Amino acid sequence: MTAVTDTIRNGVDTEQLFSTLDLIKDQPELARFQFRATNRWIDGSHNRSTIKAFYAAGGEDTTRSEEFVIDAGEPAILLGSDTGPNPAEHLLHALAACLTTSIVYVAAARKVQLTSVQSTLTGDMDVRGALGVDDEPRNGFERIAVAFRITGNAPEEKLREVVERAQKRSAVYDMVTNGVPVAVEMTTD
Amino acid sequence: MTAVTDTIRNGVDTEQLFSTLDLIKDQPELARFQFRATNRWIDGSHNRSTIKAFYAAGGEDTTRSEEFVIDAGEPAILLGSDTGPNPAEHLLHALAACLTTSIVYVAAARKVQLTSVQSTLTGDMDVRGALGVDDEPRNGFERIAVAFRITGNAPEEKLREVVERAQKRSAVYDMVTNGVPVAVEMTTD
């Protein structure tokens, strides 16, 4: 019983975590991953992504049994009918999800048992940019604020160290703060 | 009938679109928006965002009747149980959704009737960065590729102009390519 309790922490199998890290240290070529999304326009601001296949650890991963489906939309003021969160809100979700997962994994590795992780994210935007009314405001958020409220069996200082380490290792935090080269291609019939 | 056909294009009310643009040109202070997401950790890599309230055009927008709920997770190889797309996949969805919506709106404004917009996005990552195994690879995608297949009642050159303009005005494309300042705070009990 004790062994099981020690291995699974915050819902993360730490034995599997450390053996994954060892494996990738030994065979860095297994660290090449490719994630994918396919999107289809439905009508107006309504479009839908499907997500399933990905490449990992030397081959196509086939463990996923189901395809994920996510809808996007816009609220009425941005000419939509709320068919889903809007794309900028989806980006906030991606950032929240990645920082939270990083916090949970780092805490598991550092023997911190978490009891709750909650966050509120805000993104401020001057929509004149995206609407093409004015060239001065940028199109996206000028800034994003993330407020975490975290509880667990560690003093505040240790929890802060976990958050700092998670920030340093979060894939989406890296992308959103530093940017990524994006190549866009188009074909037609 | 002709008037209605002319006004609604690609599911976008172009009359409302142009009147929104005129209003914001006249009163730029109405262009201040704030979008939000609240996230809660559930277990392991499973966390959930709820999205509803936002600030727009001088006040809290109260037109949304429902709260959106989006789950995130990780596949088995990243120590999860597929409770949702992973955060990096959510970022690909946010980018696909924003570029697609921008294409649809730009086409509507330019009198291009679209018949289909599909896209496939790929993001390449060396997971040694995010897993903390090696400091050299970045945490996020090294590059993202977006392949659109678009059909509509316009020649290829005009469709390309629509895509180029959409790229120049997409909020998420701006954020993902150029980055955004992100401030992270933490409190505990």
Side-chain angles (χ1 to χ4, degrees):
Chain A
M1 278 303 275
T2 310
V4 170
T5 310
D6 284 345
T7 302
I8 311 284
R9 191 178 299 113
N10 303 328
V12 179
D13 186 334
T14 54
E15 204 166 278
Q16 193 197 339
L17 173 62
F18 290 120
S19 68
T20 300
L21 298 181
D22 286 341
L23 184 70
I24 285 176
K25 271 176 209 162
D26 284 351
Q27 301 180 61
E29 68 276 12
L30 297 181
R32 303 277 350 144
F33 278 50
Q34 182 184 72
F35 291 107
R36 303 168 193 142
T38 302
N39 185 280
R40 187 170 63 83
W41 172 52
I42 295 171
D43 194 28
S45 62
H46 187 196
N47 62 74
R48 179 173 290 161
S49 290
T50 54
I51 292 170
K52 187 178 183 189
F54 65 98
Y55 178 94
E60 284 292 306
D61 190 288
T62 56
T63 58
R64 271 185 179 161
S65 55
E66 63 168 323
E67 182 173 75
F68 298 114
V69 176
I70 328 173
D71 281 34
E74 292 289 353
I77 198 165
L78 292 173
L79 313 170
S81 55
D82 281 323
T83 52
N86 82 2
E89 291 171 322
H90 277 296
L91 181 128
L92 292 179
H93 163 63
L95 179 60
C98 198
L99 284 169
T100 298
T101 302
S102 300
I103 287 167
V104 169
Y105 282 25
V106 168
R110 295 185 177 194
K111 298 190 167 42
V112 174
Q113 180 69 51
L114 298 169
T115 45
S116 70
V117 183
Q118 291 178 300
S119 57
T120 302
L121 288 81
T122 58
D124 294 308
M125 185 186 288
D126 183 326
V127 296
R128 285 179 296 166
L131 292 177
V133 170
D134 192 318
D135 280 336
E136 198 272 309
R138 69 177 295 175
N139 302 328
F141 292 136
E142 292 147 27
R143 74 194 75 81
I144 295 172
V146 185
F148 274 105
R149 189 181 157 280
I150 301 176
T151 56
N153 72 347
E156 178 168 348
E157 192 187 327
K158 179 106 181 177
L159 294 175
R160 284 196 186 283
E161 286 169 13
V162 167
V163 173
E164 277 163 28
R165 174 70 178 174
Q167 256 180 276
K168 285 209 182 95
R169 290 302 178 184
S170 160
V172 175
Y173 180 81
D174 168 28
M175 292 190 271
V176 171
T177 54
N178 297 316
V180 182
V182 179
V184 179
E185 288 186 2
M186 194 211 92
T187 59
T188 185
D189 274 350
Chain B
M1 274 308 274
T2 309
V4 170
T5 309
D6 285 344
T7 302
I8 310 286
R9 191 179 298 114
N10 304 328
V12 179
D13 186 334
T14 55
E15 205 166 276
Q16 193 198 339
L17 173 60
F18 290 120
S19 67
T20 300
L21 298 181
D22 286 341
L23 183 70
I24 285 176
K25 271 175 210 164
D26 284 351
Q27 300 180 60
E29 68 276 13
L30 296 181
R32 304 275 351 144
F33 277 49
Q34 182 183 72
F35 292 107
R36 303 169 194 143
T38 302
N39 184 281
R40 188 170 61 83
W41 172 52
I42 294 170
D43 193 29
S45 62
H46 187 196
N47 61 73
R48 179 173 290 161
S49 290
T50 53
I51 292 170
K52 187 178 182 189
F54 65 98
Y55 178 94
E60 283 293 305
D61 190 289
T62 55
T63 58
R64 273 185 175 162
S65 55
E66 63 168 324
E67 182 173 74
F68 298 115
V69 177
I70 328 172
D71 280 35
E74 293 289 352
I77 197 165
L78 292 173
L79 312 171
S81 56
D82 281 323
T83 51
N86 81 4
E89 291 171 322
H90 278 295
L91 181 128
L92 292 180
H93 163 63
L95 179 60
C98 198
L99 284 169
T100 298
T101 302
S102 299
I103 287 167
V104 169
Y105 282 26
V106 168
R110 294 184 177 194
K111 298 189 167 44
V112 174
Q113 179 69 50
L114 299 168
T115 45
S116 70
V117 182
Q118 291 178 300
S119 57
T120 302
L121 288 82
T122 58
D124 295 309
M125 186 186 288
D126 184 326
V127 296
R128 285 180 296 167
L131 292 177
V133 170
D134 191 320
D135 280 336
E136 199 271 308
R138 70 177 294 176
N139 302 329
F141 293 136
E142 290 147 27
R143 74 193 75 82
I144 294 172
V146 185
F148 273 105
R149 188 179 159 281
I150 301 176
T151 57
N153 72 348
E156 178 168 346
E157 191 187 328
K158 178 106 181 174
L159 294 175
R160 284 196 188 284
E161 286 169 13
V162 167
V163 173
E164 277 162 29
R165 174 71 178 172
Q167 255 180 276
K168 286 209 182 94
R169 291 301 179 184
S170 160
V172 175
Y173 179 81
D174 168 27
M175 291 191 272
V176 171
T177 55
N178 297 316
V180 182
V182 178
V184 179
E185 288 186 2
M186 193 211 93
T187 57
T188 186
D189 275 350

